[in-house]
């Protein structure tokens, strides 16, 4: 029985190794076929290019000529950019306004764009593109994440991770934003700046938010000043008591506040509280400066925009690529049609 069992086990192992070997062989054959197929298509592509090489070269040179002429006759474009910091959750409205301006510029609605940007109709006709994008780096995102975490309770802080915060981070969450305007006249963007900002500042909702914020800051400022005054009065009172005690003759009974631990702690607490109020006052002044306007202009539009000279935006680059792509696809469709028509003969 043992000999038969051993023989059966050997047969099972042999079959197992044979199956494994066949599986590896199948995998290697499959990979080899993929490489053969890729190489075959690569050779077909080279043959296709060899057959139509002259046509493709003509299309490229024709595109270079037409594209170069279009660049030569086209008006130069100038780009201007402005960095802003929206307050009171006005960033979404700002993005909507910029998208509206861009649509008017693309549709060449010069009259409507002139009214929206408070410029002349001829100047509005020079505007070709108005775009906005977030302006933030890794350092700013980390700082914003830190500020976001500080506003949460201890339980929520443990559940929020920086990677999760970055996944949900979008243009609206950024602190700073860049507005770019492309025109055919170098000085038009500067004239659009005031209208872009006032379109947000004149919004009734944001005006109300700013008024409430100013009132809250003024209230907090008055509270801090009142607390500072009370602390100063208490400190003056302690000093006067100490002076009176020092002037009393020896042998008289008196209460020395300087030797009383409770009063010593109170004076130290007053000093610490005074420091906290000063720090709070500094933070409040920073907040007051940052929220002075609904839209803070970090960097204004320059008086004259810079000439747009992007390589891949030139017609002399795009036109040859377009011509060659169209010709390549046309020839490929013709070859495919010929192959399908003669498919039954293969």
């Amino acid at each position: 029985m043992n000999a038969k069992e051993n023989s059966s086990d050997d047969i099972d192992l042999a079959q197992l190794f044979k199956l494994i070997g066949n599986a590896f062989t199948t995998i290697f054959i499959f990979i080899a076929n993929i490489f053969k197929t890729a190489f075959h298509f690569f050779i077909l592509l080279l043959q296709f290019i060899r057959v139509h090489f002259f046509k493709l070269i003509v299309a490229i040179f024709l595109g270079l000529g037409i594209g170069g002429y279009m660049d030569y006759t086209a008006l130069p474009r100038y780009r201007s950019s402005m960095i802003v910091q929206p307050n009171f959750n006005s960033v979404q409205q700002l993005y909507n306004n910029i998208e509206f301006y861009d649509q008017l510029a693309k549709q060449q609605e010069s009259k409507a764009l002139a009214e929206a940007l408070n410029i002349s109709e001829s100047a509005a006709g020079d505007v070709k593109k108005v775009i906005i994008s977030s302006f933030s780096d890794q350092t700013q995102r980390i700082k914003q994440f830190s500020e976001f975490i500080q506003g949460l309770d201890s339980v929520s802080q443990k559940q929020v991770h920086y990677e999760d915060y970055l996944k949900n981070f979008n243009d609206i969450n950024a602190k700073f934003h860049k507005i770019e305007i492309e025109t055919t006249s170098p000085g038009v963007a500067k004239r659009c700046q005031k209208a872009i900002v006032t379109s947000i500042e004149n919004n009734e909702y944001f005006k109300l938010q700013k008024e409430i914020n100013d009132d809250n800051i003024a209230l907090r400022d008055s509270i801090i000043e009142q607390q500072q005054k009370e602390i100063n009065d208490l400190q003056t009172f302690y000093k006067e008591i100490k002076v009176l005690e020092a002037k009393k003759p020896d042998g008289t009974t008196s209460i020395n506040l300087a030797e009383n631990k409770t009063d010593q702690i109170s004076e130290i607490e007053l000093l610490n509280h005074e420091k906290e109020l000063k720090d709070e006052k500094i933070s409040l002044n920073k907040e007051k400066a940052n929220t002075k306007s609904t839209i803070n202009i970090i960097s204004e539009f320059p008086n004259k925009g810079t000439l747009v000279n992007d390589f891949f935006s030139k017609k002399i680059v795009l036109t040859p690529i377009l011509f060659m792509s169209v010709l390549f696809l046309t020839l490929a469709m013709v070859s495919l049609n010929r192959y399908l028509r003669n498919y039954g003969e293969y």
Side-chain angles (χ1 to χ4, degrees):
M1 291 294 292
N2 292 335
K4 291 182 178 181
E5 290 178 358
N6 291 335
S7 177
S8 177
D9 292 340
D10 291 340
I11 293 173
D12 291 340
L13 288 174
Q15 290 178 347
L16 176 63
F17 284 123
K18 184 178 180 180
L19 289 174
I20 294 175
N22 291 337
F24 276 107
T25 302
T26 303
I27 292 173
F28 288 138
I29 292 174
F30 177 73
I31 294 174
N33 288 334
I34 291 177
F35 280 105
K36 287 180 181 179
T37 303
F39 181 75
H40 176 67
F41 279 108
F42 179 70
I43 295 300
L44 290 178
L45 177 63
L46 292 179
Q47 289 178 342
F48 180 83
I49 293 175
R50 183 181 64 83
V51 173
H52 302 289
F53 181 77
F54 180 74
K55 298 175 184 176
L56 294 173
I57 291 296
V58 171
I60 291 174
F61 278 98
L62 184 63
L64 288 173
I66 295 176
Y69 176 78
M70 292 173 67
D71 285 335
Y72 179 76
T73 56
L75 294 173
R77 287 199 177 193
Y78 300 90
R79 181 183 295 136
S80 303
S81 60
M82 175 174 65
I83 309 298
V84 298
Q85 179 188 8
N87 292 318
F88 315 120
N89 297 321
S90 61
V91 61
Q92 184 62 66
Q93 184 63 50
L94 179 63
Y95 270 72
N96 291 341
N97 289 2
I98 296 300
E99 184 179 356
F100 173 67
Y101 302 148
D102 188 53
Q103 290 297 322
L104 292 179
K106 289 179 179 179
Q107 296 170 6
Q108 297 182 347
E109 297 285 347
S110 301
K111 185 176 181 180
L113 186 60
E115 294 176 355
L117 295 177
N118 196 23
I119 55 178
S120 64
E121 191 170 340
S122 60
D126 294 334
V127 178
K128 302 303 177 184
K129 184 188 295 185
V130 186
I131 58 176
I132 185 171
S133 59
S134 62
F135 187 78
S136 62
D137 54 17
Q138 189 70 13
T139 303
Q140 291 175 352
R141 292 182 181 182
I142 292 174
K143 186 177 180 181
Q144 285 183 247
F145 175 72
S146 177
E147 294 174 353
F148 173 73
I149 286 294
Q150 289 176 4
L152 302 177
D153 56 75
S154 58
V155 177
S156 300
Q157 287 178 357
K158 296 178 181 179
Q159 296 177 349
V160 178
H161 301 283
Y162 180 65
E163 291 76 13
D164 298 330
Y165 177 80
L166 282 183
K167 288 179 182 178
N168 297 314
F169 190 92
N170 52 38
D171 289 342
I172 304 299
N173 301 126
K175 193 172 185 179
F176 303 103
H177 303 267
K178 179 166 68 173
I179 302 173
E180 288 186 344
I181 297 181
E182 286 189 13
T183 65
T184 55
S185 179
V188 172
K190 185 66 175 180
R191 284 177 267 169
C192 301
Q193 177 176 306
K194 185 177 180 181
I196 292 174
V197 174
T198 54
S199 66
I200 304 297
E201 292 181 341
N202 292 337
N203 184 291
E204 293 298 327
Y205 173 77
F206 299 127
K207 286 171 70 174
L208 177 61
Q209 293 297 313
K210 185 179 181 306
E211 290 175 2
I212 294 174
N213 182 77
D214 292 343
D215 292 340
N216 291 337
I217 289 178
L219 179 60
R220 289 163 56 191
D221 196 13
S222 63
I223 292 174
I224 292 174
E225 290 181 355
Q226 180 64 29
Q227 290 178 334
Q228 287 178 328
K229 183 178 180 301
E230 291 175 356
I231 289 176
N232 291 334
D233 292 342
L234 282 174
Q235 289 175 335
T236 303
F237 174 72
Y238 282 144
K239 290 178 182 178
E240 291 175 353
I241 293 296
K242 290 179 180 180
V243 170
L244 291 175
E245 289 181 345
K247 290 181 178 180
K248 287 184 178 181
D250 294 338
T252 58
T253 303
S254 64
I255 300 175
N256 191 343
L257 291 178
E259 295 176 355
N260 190 299
K261 285 188 177 181
T262 304
D263 294 323
Q264 286 179 0
I265 294 174
S266 298
E267 289 184 74
I268 293 173
E269 288 179 349
L270 282 177
L271 291 174
N272 291 335
H273 191 49
E274 183 182 21
K275 183 179 180 302
E276 291 175 359
L277 288 176
K278 288 181 179 178
D279 293 339
E280 189 175 349
K281 182 76 172 179
I282 292 173
S283 299
L284 187 63
N285 288 337
K286 289 181 180 178
E287 183 180 348
K288 188 187 300 183
N290 290 332
T291 58
K292 185 178 180 180
S293 303
T294 307
I295 299 290
N296 294 333
I297 301 177
I298 309 301
S299 175
E300 297 184 350
F301 282 126
N303 292 328
K304 289 187 177 181
T306 57
L307 184 64
V308 177
N309 197 26
D310 298 336
F311 180 76
F312 287 102
S313 65
K314 294 181 178 180
K315 296 295 188 298
I316 198 172
V317 176
L318 297 177
T319 309
I321 295 175
L322 177 63
F323 278 27
M324 187 180 66
S325 300
V326 171
L327 178 62
F328 185 89
L329 290 175
T330 302
L331 294 174
M333 292 300 294
V334 171
S335 299
L336 178 62
N337 182 59
R338 186 185 302 115
Y339 173 80
L340 293 175
R341 188 172 59 247
N342 301 325
Y343 181 76
E345 300 178 1
Y346 292 106

